[in-house]
Amino acid sequence: MPDIQLYDATLRDGMQGPGLALSAAEKVRVARKLDELGVHLIEAGFPSSNPKELELFELLAQERFEHADVAAFGMTRRRGLPAAEDDGLRVLADCFAPVCTIVGKTWGLHLEKVVRVDRAENLAMIAESVAFLLQAGKRVVYDAEHFFDGYRDDPGYALDCLRAAAGAGAETVALCDTNGSSLPPQVAEATVAVLAAVGDRVRVAIHCHNDAECGVANTLAAVEVGARQVQGTMNGVGERTGNANLVSIIANLQLKMGRRVLADEQLAHLTEAAHFVDELLNRPPNRAQAYVGRDAFAHKGGLHVAGVRADSATFEHVDPGLVGNTRELLVSELAGRHTVAERAAAAGLEFDDAAAQRVIDRVKLLEHGGYQFEAADGSFDLLLRRESGDYEPLFRLESWRVIVEQRADGKVETEATIKIWVDGERYIRTAEGNGPVNALDAALREAIGEIHPHLKDIELVNYKVRILDEDHGTGATTRVLIDASDGRDVWGSIGVHENIIAASWEALVDSLAYAEQPGRRGGRAAQATPTDAV
């Protein structure tokens, strides 16, 4: 076990965020991924709180993790009730989890207004609960709720709460900034006081929330003065503004502070793990997230790109490969010929300076018309291939038509018909859909499926529409971005038109055309262009 433990609370604390939910089976998948990453403690939740949690603990009991221990979460005993007779504590004692984390009060305001117990009784609740679980063979983490608020209000009593837990045998006391109200100097000062009071008997942990946008900074401040366990959630998910982001904490500890918490090969899976959790939660990964975001090492301006080419340290604070991320050289009106040349080389194409300049000129013209190449690498790849002459269209379009009909009973039906030519043969297909884009998609796949059957398996995973000139109202130009996937790679395509259906058709065709290109790069959305011949 390294000097600093990683404690992940995604499955319990993280799920308190609005709109976030995972099934028991999905939580097990997250736990496996966290174990692969090298996390040391995984907080699974309340085994007694609801049927889904009971199912989760039954499933986790059958798992065998290589690196992680499972922690069950609960509360100190209820007031006026012996610990042995508290149903919640008994469930913790009887569950398979080797570690039990119990939350208790440390702030006088909560004692007076919430649990309504006197200070002596609260200390007894803490000590007796820890001792009961210790007798049941558990390792105990005492989570001192609202510790920093309590410390600022009455430092002596806040420390007494930790002394009660430590004296009863707790392995770790976690200092929780429950309201996310603290700043790094306050966290450091209080943590130093805790270490002086109980640091010789227990491990001191830090558990921060992000309400003041200081969750990660507060965590690092506590580690700097001696905390030896860090708690957080993947991608910072959680209630209100979220928990401290464990992804950033891990990277900062290892790459900035020299605290080795993961093996190098584990750290190289950090981006993969972060995106895995977001995908299971059905939310797009944050492009701008530190270390693991798609844009974390993306370079758009020509001077930045030139600097990175000369020495990556000029505009990158760490090697992106250390955390499993990659450098992106974004093509835009700000980019230079070297960027285009590198993107062409990645697609297996040879470009001289003149060809690269033609692409840049084309990009500038298209961006002036509303295209945005950072978000559609599939379309940009096709632009490069057209410029190089290494492009064979999927088909030649004769026409497409969409009919949307609303009946008197309120039901809306959509039908699309396309007419295309493939290898000298004319194909006419009609399909219904949930809307015009869906109907066009179905008709196109049906038409080209006989020639390119595997294109039927390409899935559209994201569809985004943006109005570019809002002052034109319903006649405004529309930009459509589509993300498509073959189950392994993800790529972006773009369409721009005054007609939203025409813009969608353009992006749709590019998404499928890119899937057919030999040696395609895949995996990262970045650039785009319209198609004269599709």
Side-chain angles (χ1 to χ4, degrees):
M1 185 74 70
D3 181 52
I4 297 180
Q5 289 184 350
L6 302 176
Y7 183 112
D8 181 272
T10 303
L11 302 184
R12 200 276 307 176
D13 215 0
M15 292 303 98
Q16 297 188 51
L20 300 182
L22 293 171
S23 68
E26 288 172 328
K27 287 186 176 184
V28 172
R29 292 179 64 191
V30 171
R32 289 174 184 157
K33 185 64 69 173
L34 293 172
D35 179 60
E36 292 172 8
L37 183 62
V39 169
H40 309 119
L41 287 167
I42 300 172
E43 184 179 282
F46 291 91
S48 61
S49 63
N50 59 64
K52 185 165 75 172
E53 296 295 89
L54 288 173
E55 178 188 2
L56 171 62
F57 273 79
E58 290 172 358
L59 293 174
L60 288 174
Q62 302 170 32
E63 296 289 321
R64 293 296 178 266
F65 295 127
E66 183 177 352
H67 304 286
D69 286 324
V70 173
F73 190 88
M75 297 178 286
T76 56
R77 69 163 174 82
R78 288 172 289 173
R79 61 180 181 181
L81 189 68
E85 297 178 15
D86 186 278
D87 292 340
L89 285 177
R90 293 198 64 85
V91 170
L92 291 180
D94 294 339
C95 80
F96 81 93
V99 179
C100 291
T101 298
I102 55 172
V103 62
K105 302 297 184 182
T106 56
W107 188 10
L109 179 67
H110 273 250
L111 297 180
E112 299 163 10
K113 299 293 181 66
V114 181
V115 292
R116 293 185 172 84
V117 298
D118 63 40
R119 298 192 172 202
E121 170 69 358
N122 183 57
L123 295 177
M125 291 163 62
I126 295 169
E128 292 168 15
S129 300
V130 171
F132 172 75
L133 292 173
L134 200 69
Q135 291 170 3
K138 303 297 185 181
R139 294 155 48 199
V140 182
V141 177
Y142 174 65
D143 193 82
E145 189 177 43
H146 294 99
F147 172 78
F148 294 99
D149 294 294
Y151 182 83
R152 289 192 290 271
D153 176 59
D154 186 341
Y157 184 73
L159 293 174
D160 283 343
C161 292
L162 302 184
R163 292 188 183 99
E171 176 182 282
T172 302
V173 292
L175 315 182
C176 187
D177 190 27
T178 311
N179 286 347
S181 61
S182 302
L183 299 177
Q186 296 171 316
V187 169
E189 177 188 354
T191 304
V192 167
V194 171
L195 288 164
V198 298
D200 59 334
R201 289 180 283 169
V202 295
R203 176 186 292 107
V204 174
I206 182 68
H207 173 185
C208 294
H209 289 246
N210 204 40
D211 297 73
E213 195 65 30
C214 289
V216 172
N218 285 339
T219 302
L220 300 181
V223 170
E224 188 68 32
V225 298
R228 293 191 294 121
Q229 181 188 97
V230 293
Q231 299 191 11
T233 62
M234 292 298 286
N235 305 316
V237 298
E239 190 174 17
R240 304 185 311 277
T241 59
N243 287 252
N245 187 343
L246 192 63
V247 174
S248 299
I249 291 169
I250 289 171
N252 282 321
L253 285 175
Q254 189 137 330
L255 300 178
K256 302 293 188 180
M257 299 176 66
R259 305 299 183 94
R260 192 171 179 82
V261 292
L262 298 178
D264 291 342
E265 58 270 21
Q266 292 170 327
L267 184 65
H269 288 283
L270 188 63
T271 298
E272 172 195 340
H275 292 182
F276 176 85
V277 173
D278 270 336
E279 293 294 346
L280 270 190
L281 288 170
N282 196 31
R283 57 182 226 157
N286 178 4
R287 296 177 61 108
Q289 185 171 336
Y291 292 103
V292 300
R294 281 172 50 181
D295 295 342
F297 301 96
H299 307 282
K300 181 175 178 178
L303 288 177
H304 287 217
V305 172
V308 169
R309 284 175 56 84
D311 185 335
S312 61
T314 55
F315 288 100
E316 290 178 351
H317 64 111
V318 299
D319 176 357
L322 294 175
V323 293
N325 208 340
T326 57
R327 177 179 303 128
E328 286 291 331
L329 302 180
L330 303 179
V331 177
S332 76
E333 60 188 4
L334 302 179
R337 289 192 301 273
H338 290 309
T339 303
V340 174
E342 289 195 8
R343 291 298 302 273
L349 305 172
E350 292 187 7
F351 266 55
D352 57 22
D353 285 350
Q357 187 59 53
R358 288 196 299 272
V359 170
I360 292 172
D361 292 341
R362 178 69 170 153
V363 165
K364 291 179 178 179
L365 180 64
L366 293 171
E367 287 203 344
H368 182 70
Y371 289 83
Q372 188 179 67
F373 298 114
E374 293 90 348
D377 59 342
S379 289
F380 182 71
D381 182 279
L382 297 177
L383 184 152
L384 291 175
R385 293 178 186 275
R386 293 188 189 97
E387 182 60 39
S388 70
D390 183 23
Y391 176 67
E392 184 66 30
L394 280 179
F395 58 87
R396 181 169 60 86
L397 176 66
E398 179 179 322
S399 67
W400 57 260
R401 177 179 62 192
V402 176
I403 300 173
V404 180
E405 178 185 13
Q406 178 168 350
R407 298 179 175 179
D409 61 2
K411 185 177 181 180
V412 177
E413 293 187 347
T414 306
E415 178 183 283
T417 299
I418 68 167
K419 299 175 184 179
I420 61 175
W421 292 82
V422 182
D423 295 337
E425 293 192 29
R426 187 172 186 250
Y427 290 81
I428 302 175
R429 294 292 185 271
T430 298
E432 295 180 335
N434 294 329
V437 180
N438 181 237
L440 278 172
D441 184 26
L444 178 57
R445 289 169 189 262
E446 181 65 27
I448 62 176
E450 299 176 21
I451 308 298
H452 307 285
H454 66 280
L455 290 183
K456 292 184 177 181
D457 298 327
I458 300 299
E459 182 182 2
L460 304 185
V461 296
N462 205 348
Y463 174 83
K464 291 170 284 190
V465 177
R466 182 176 178 184
I467 304 302
L468 300 182
D469 44 357
E470 297 178 0
D471 56 324
H472 284 69
T474 56
T477 298
T478 303
R479 177 195 295 151
V480 171
L481 289 169
I482 288 176
D483 287 340
S485 175
D486 59 4
R488 180 192 64 184
D489 296 332
V490 179
W491 57 91
S493 59
I494 191 169
V496 175
H497 201 278
E498 294 86 351
N499 186 302
I500 188 174
I501 309 304
S504 300
W505 167 263
E506 186 181 330
L508 175 64
V509 171
D510 271 12
S511 71
L512 297 180
Y514 175 72
E516 270 296 282
Q517 302 309 306
R520 59 183 170 84
R521 188 167 74 101
R524 311 278 285 177
Q527 278 77 39
T529 179
T531 53
D532 298 323
V534 293

